[in-house]
Amino acid sequence: MRAYLGIFNWHSLLILFLALASSLAALQWQLSIHLDFLVLGLLVVFPLTLTIKEAFKRRERAIQYLSAMEASLRSFYYCFSNSKLDPSGKQLANELLYKASSALHAFLTGQHQDIKRVSEGTDQIASFITENRKVLKGALSQKLMLSLFRARECTNFLVATKRHHTPLGIRTIALIAIYSFVIFYPASVLDQQGFQVPLWYLFAMTAFKAILLISLFNVQVQLEDPFRMGGPDSIKLMDFELIDLRLAVESNGSKMVGSAKNDDEDEEGEVFL
């Protein structure tokens, strides 16, 4: 339930305050104005419809590229596991693949903003394939390089989706139109129904419509970043995590720690002996 309340923010509170203030002012000073809200409605509905549609397309394409990226890295994992690399080489390959995946996920979730860390992941995999092309055989290394090109394409698209949004000017026009509606709508209601309208009715009519509009605007803003953590429509990046690689890297790390402890104990024993 908390995730769905994310469509309400400080814009929602400000809209409610302006709705109350404009209703009070219109009744207190008996303000009335005849306005055609058709143009104002177009300034709100058309930009929001366009930007929500485009933002949703970006979100769906991001899911496709995340799936392709996860499939590419997993195919690398299977190829390296079935190759003639020695155990240390396979472990290094697993660490490079996991590093590339974790660096991309960390960038998408906003843990860091360094694009070089993301590109270094695929660059190090390419260097590893080049250094071990004799062990991997020529045909396999070439196929891996072609697959790496696809993985790099997915990485570039996901980074661009994180950094580039829909046009800011369209969203700004929609926001200005929403605030203009809140300010002038109570006076327009009084022009049609007279000044005998109670305050609660005028405020309820204004606030209800304004909250609907600003909520649509907030949904559009949240869709701008499909990787934002905690949003109701955010992409679940955990679904694209390479769990096999993480477990392999973590298990090898624990073995290395255990062997290091054993070596230290042996050294200490030799000293005492």
Side-chain angles (χ1 to χ4, degrees):
M1 185 63 182
R2 182 180 301 177
Y4 294 98
L5 295 177
I7 62 175
F8 302 106
N9 55 10
W10 65 271
H11 278 297
S12 304
L13 296 176
L14 184 56
I15 283 292
L16 290 176
F17 175 77
L18 285 178
L20 180 60
S22 60
S23 300
L24 284 171
L27 284 175
Q28 182 70 26
W29 295 314
Q30 295 186 352
L31 302 176
S32 64
I33 185 172
H34 179 72
L35 287 178
D36 185 5
F37 286 96
L38 178 60
V39 176
L40 192 60
L42 291 176
L43 290 176
V44 176
V45 176
F46 178 72
L48 286 182
T49 302
L50 178 63
T51 52
I52 288 176
K53 180 180 179 181
E54 294 302 319
F56 186 77
K57 286 183 179 179
R58 294 169 66 254
R59 176 182 178 274
E60 295 303 305
R61 292 192 64 189
I63 293 177
Q64 295 177 2
Y65 277 87
L66 276 172
S67 302
M69 182 67 179
E70 190 270 345
S72 299
L73 294 180
R74 189 170 294 277
S75 65
F76 280 116
Y77 171 68
Y78 293 147
C79 290
F80 290 142
S81 299
N82 296 325
S83 65
K84 295 183 179 180
L85 290 170
D86 54 18
S88 60
K90 292 181 180 180
Q91 179 59 31
L92 178 59
N94 292 339
E95 292 177 357
L96 293 177
L97 294 174
Y98 179 70
K99 179 182 178 181
S101 177
S102 60
L104 176 61
H105 286 198
F107 178 83
L108 296 179
T109 54
Q111 299 179 22
H112 70 84
Q113 299 296 324
D114 189 2
I115 302 180
K116 293 183 179 180
R117 291 176 56 182
V118 180
S119 59
E120 284 176 357
T122 52
D123 292 341
Q124 291 178 356
I125 295 174
S127 300
F128 178 82
I129 295 173
T130 303
E131 294 173 358
N132 295 273
R133 60 181 180 274
K134 294 183 179 180
V135 180
L136 297 173
K137 299 181 181 179
L140 179 59
S141 62
Q142 292 178 1
K143 292 179 180 179
L144 291 176
M145 282 296 187
L146 291 176
S147 298
L148 187 62
F149 169 79
R150 176 61 175 168
R152 186 58 181 264
E153 180 185 3
C154 296
T155 300
N156 292 339
F157 176 83
L158 294 171
V159 170
T161 303
K162 177 69 176 181
R163 291 175 59 86
H164 301 87
H165 298 164
T166 55
L168 179 62
I170 297 179
R171 286 179 282 141
T172 304
I173 291 174
L175 187 61
I176 293 174
I178 292 173
Y179 278 102
S180 300
F181 171 82
V182 176
I183 295 173
F184 296 107
Y185 183 74
S188 176
V189 173
L190 294 180
D191 180 71
Q192 297 176 2
Q193 300 186 13
F195 298 102
Q196 294 77 23
V197 177
L199 176 61
W200 68 267
Y201 175 82
L202 188 61
F203 170 71
M205 290 293 294
T206 306
F208 177 73
K209 296 179 180 180
I211 284 294
L212 289 180
L213 293 176
I214 200 63
S215 297
L216 285 175
F217 178 82
N218 292 336
V219 168
Q220 192 278 326
V221 172
Q222 292 178 5
L223 284 176
E224 288 293 312
D225 185 4
F227 312 105
R228 188 179 60 88
M229 301 297 292
D233 299 314
S234 300
I235 297 176
K236 307 299 186 294
L237 289 176
M238 294 297 296
D239 296 342
F240 303 95
E241 183 182 3
L242 299 174
I243 299 178
D244 300 339
L245 282 174
R246 180 171 60 82
L247 294 177
V249 172
E250 291 177 354
S251 63
N252 183 76
S254 62
K255 291 179 181 179
M256 293 177 62
V257 173
S259 62
K261 290 182 178 179
N262 293 332
D263 294 340
D264 293 340
E265 292 176 356
D266 293 341
E267 292 178 359
E268 290 178 358
E270 292 176 358
V271 172
F272 285 108
L273 287 173

